[in-house]
Amino acid sequence: MDSSEGLLSAELRLSPSATEVRISPNIYGHFAEHLGRCIYEGLWVGTDSRIPHTRGLRNDVLGALKKIKVPVLRWPGGCFADEYHWRDGIGPRETRPKMINTHWGGVVENNHFGTHEFMDLCEELGARPYICGNVGSGSVREMQEWVEYMTSDADSPMANLRRHNGREQPYKLDYFGVGNESWGCGGNMRPEFYADNYRRYNTFVKNFSGQRVQRIACGANGSDYQWTEVLMSQAARHMDGLSLHYYTLPTNDWSKKGSATEFGEAEWHATLARTLRMEELVSEHGAIMDKYDPERKIGMIVDEWGTWYDAEPGTNPAFLYQQNTLRDALVTAVNLNIFNAHAARVSMANLAQTVNVLQALVLTQHEKMLTTPTYHVFDLYQVHQGGTLLEAHLNGPTYALGATSIPMLHASASLDRTGRCHLSVANLDPRRGARLSVHGMAGYVRAGRLLTAAKMNDCNDFGAEDRVRPLEFSAFRREGARSILELPAKSVVVVEIE
Ligand code: AHR
């Protein structure tokens, strides 16, 4: 299965886009919810912990996240957001009220990680905060006061409460979500009802201290195009962004999603085929948005995406802890390529979720930490953040299994500020390598990095933290005006062309 069966030929032509499109760094965004061990243990260990920390935030995880330049972080949910009452998470930690996290295992939430701790995390990371407000079980007043608490510099009750809790200067709040999955865990609303609620709640999300908070409306679940139609027709002029959620399940069956690590080629292929659906979703929702917003002022915010498997055996199923293999690296590469290619509409995306939950970047085990194959793709792809999109016309073989065919190669490319071109290519085929001939831009491949592994389901684990890690890529050469790359089976390669 894992031996190369000869290289197949493919061709890639790069060209500037007809109109200049900037790849928003926010496409490389993340999401951290009060769920399982994402916040507690994953990001926050508390100020009394023996694990090295900065004001309660664990240093090893901070270091890993800083390295990949997390541009934006979404919090506190997810489903948790619509039962979160922000006032429970401010003031002295020992007196904060507890609550039950009803969505995620009924565990007791002590509210030790609240607004100040989240903003501190964002400031440490240099990430923009994206806070999701409570529409499902919260009041308009509660939402209004939260925004005032965070951002006002007036002599007002909320700003003074923030000062009393130790923060003199207003926080910078870049993005505010008005509810999460309001069609489901956020209130089971019909789109018409949510559109009205969005308009009402959003009216009271005010701008203070000269800030302009970008407001994001709850968008569709997968291919629910009717949701997008209603939201765009009834509330477009009140929003800066409209979200979209789509998770990749190997089986497409929520009752038996498939294992994160125990899978064969059929599930590998099915997973990649399902993740490629993101292309169709972004295009179709984008076409509806274009009808109402032809100038593309409203961003598509894919604020939950990634793989969702059966929870790791022996762990609490409500904590959504799953391992992460080379397959997840390919899923990441495909989705990031899609978001890059649609950067004229997609202005943010947030992988679910940062630490220990779903398709995580980082896994922790008490004081130990490791980075996943997914993390390494974000590391390789950070060269695209803020770049100018290039068209990548790929002509290559398909990867067929049974009755289904998917493209063997998947790519995107951008130019950075210094004029250097970065090309990222994923080879989805686990058996066959490809010889890719690249042309269209001046210059040649001069360096590259490669992520692959011996087996499709190789992962990093405690005791084998570096089994899957990026290596230098040197299988390229010049041929006339072209660069020829030899891409191994099941790999992600990012090269620089100069
Ligand atoms: O990311 C896990 C959950 O998936 C989120 O809480 C919810 O928004 C979605 O259904």
Side-chain angles (χ1 to χ4, degrees):
M1 158 140 331
D2 293 302
S3 67
S4 170
E5 293 172 2
L7 301 181
L8 301 187
S9 295
E11 184 174 307
L12 179 90
R13 182 168 55 83
L14 296 171
S15 63
S17 298
T19 50
E20 193 171 301
V21 174
R22 178 172 178 265
I23 297 174
S24 168
N26 287 346
I27 282 178
Y28 293 81
H30 294 282
F31 167 39
E33 180 169 8
H34 288 241
L35 194 180
R37 294 182 299 119
C38 182
I39 298 291
Y40 299 107
E41 184 187 315
L43 289 159
W44 174 259
V45 287
T47 48
D48 297 332
S49 178
R50 280 187 294 118
I51 297 174
H53 62 86
T54 302
R55 297 178 297 283
L57 301 164
R58 62 186 290 170
N59 288 345
D60 50 0
V61 176
L62 282 179
L65 297 180
K66 279 182 192 170
K67 188 164 172 262
I68 58 166
K69 299 200 178 72
V70 173
V72 60
L73 189 60
R74 177 174 185 251
W75 173 85
C79 295
F80 182 78
D82 281 289
E83 65 175 4
Y84 181 62
H85 300 285
W86 67 272
R87 277 177 182 260
D88 295 347
I90 56 171
R93 279 191 279 274
E94 55 290 357
T95 59
R96 294 184 190 175
K98 296 185 171 68
M99 66 178 282
I100 308 290
N101 189 336
T102 63
H103 285 291
W104 306 118
V107 295
V108 174
E109 159 69 55
N110 64 17
N111 277 305
H112 282 193
F113 189 90
T115 303
H116 291 251
E117 290 77 13
F118 173 68
M119 289 299 199
D120 193 22
L121 169 62
C122 289
E123 287 177 352
E124 270 295 315
L125 294 177
R128 291 168 194 259
Y130 169 15
I131 289 190
C132 187
N134 180 345
V135 171
S137 70
S139 66
V140 172
R141 177 176 179 177
E142 183 180 359
M143 187 178 285
Q144 177 184 32
E145 289 184 341
W146 195 8
V147 175
E148 181 186 332
Y149 180 88
M150 290 185 279
T151 59
S152 170
D153 60 358
D155 179 14
S156 74
M158 288 303 113
N160 287 335
L161 182 57
R162 183 194 68 238
R163 292 185 185 105
H164 176 77
N165 288 329
R167 173 77 181 201
E168 176 61 34
Q169 295 304 318
Y171 291 109
K172 175 91 173 70
L173 176 64
D174 293 274
Y175 306 99
F176 193 82
V178 180
N180 168 74
E181 296 197 350
S182 304
W183 38 260
C185 64
N188 282 306
M189 302 178 204
R190 291 173 305 107
E192 294 79 7
F193 184 72
Y194 172 70
D196 284 345
N197 267 285
Y198 173 79
R199 291 166 61 127
R200 175 168 174 242
Y201 277 72
N202 178 59
T203 304
F204 300 94
V205 177
K206 302 288 186 193
N207 292 316
F208 295 97
S209 330
Q211 295 193 35
R212 168 80 174 84
V213 180
Q214 306 259 307
R215 299 91 188 282
I216 297 168
C218 161
N221 177 20
S223 60
D224 183 354
Y225 299 119
Q226 176 63 9
W227 185 277
T228 300
E229 182 71 46
V230 173
L231 263 291
M232 288 303 292
S233 64
Q234 297 182 18
R237 73 188 175 87
H238 304 281
M239 63 175 82
D240 299 293
L242 180 62
S243 72
L244 169 67
H245 288 185
Y246 175 63
Y247 284 98
T248 301
L249 277 63
T251 60
N252 217 21
D253 175 358
W254 283 95
S255 66
K256 199 166 183 351
K257 298 177 271 296
S259 161
T261 51
E262 302 299 314
F263 57 86
E265 190 176 348
E267 266 187 49
W268 164 280
H269 190 275
T271 305
L272 294 172
R274 296 215 162 86
T275 222
L276 281 158
R277 272 205 73 214
M278 184 64 90
E279 170 72 40
E280 171 195 324
L281 296 174
V282 166
S283 302
E284 296 296 313
H285 285 291
I288 299 168
M289 293 177 79
D290 284 350
K291 275 200 301 185
Y292 299 95
D293 173 37
E295 290 175 28
R296 299 189 170 167
K297 290 191 171 145
I298 299 174
M300 186 185 295
I301 312 284
V302 190
D303 56 16
E304 290 188 30
W305 68 273
T307 53
W308 194 322
Y309 307 122
D310 295 330
E312 210 52 34
T315 66
N316 184 336
F319 284 8
L320 311 186
Y321 178 77
Q322 63 190 40
Q323 249 297 358
N324 195 295
T325 68
L326 184 65
R327 176 175 61 170
D328 295 85
L330 272 296
V331 165
T332 309
V334 164
N335 281 281
L336 293 177
N337 286 338
I338 293 170
F339 301 147
N340 284 346
H342 289 271
R345 177 60 84 182
V346 177
S347 61
M348 190 195 297
N350 310 73
L351 177 70
Q353 298 195 7
T354 316
V355 193
N356 293 331
V357 169
L358 297 177
Q359 194 181 343
L361 297 167
V362 170
L363 303 178
T364 65
Q365 193 180 69
H366 310 299
E367 75 290 354
K368 295 187 205 142
M369 182 212 84
L370 62 80
T371 52
T372 63
T374 295
Y375 173 91
H376 292 308
V377 177
F378 273 88
D379 186 14
L380 298 186
Y381 272 57
Q382 58 175 287
V383 289
H384 292 304
Q385 288 193 23
T388 303
L389 180 67
L390 292 172
E391 303 277 350
H393 308 275
L394 191 52
N395 192 357
T398 54
Y399 164 37
L401 200 73
T404 324
S405 281
I406 58 176
M408 178 184 182
L409 303 181
H410 200 269
S412 69
S414 66
L415 270 186
D416 71 14
R417 261 195 243 119
T418 67
R420 224 172 289 156
C421 166
H422 299 280
L423 165 66
S424 44
V425 193
N427 180 359
L428 313 189
D429 194 316
R431 296 164 182 273
R432 301 171 306 172
R435 184 179 297 105
L436 180 65
S437 163
V438 181
H439 64 108
M441 301 296 290
Y444 295 94
V445 171
R446 56 173 295 275
R449 291 170 82 200
L450 159 76
L451 189 72
T452 188
K455 297 199 271 41
M456 291 183 294
N457 60 350
D458 271 343
C459 61
N460 294 334
D461 213 343
F462 297 98
E465 285 84 354
D466 282 330
R467 194 186 284 129
V468 187
R469 70 191 154 88
L471 301 170
E472 189 192 332
F473 175 70
S474 53
F476 56 85
R477 63 174 192 276
R478 294 177 181 193
E479 211 174 83
R482 298 174 174 228
S483 295
I484 309 294
L485 314 186
E486 292 191 356
L487 306 169
K490 52 176 170 24
S491 66
V492 180
V493 167
V494 178
V495 293
E496 191 178 305
I497 299 175
E498 202 174 41

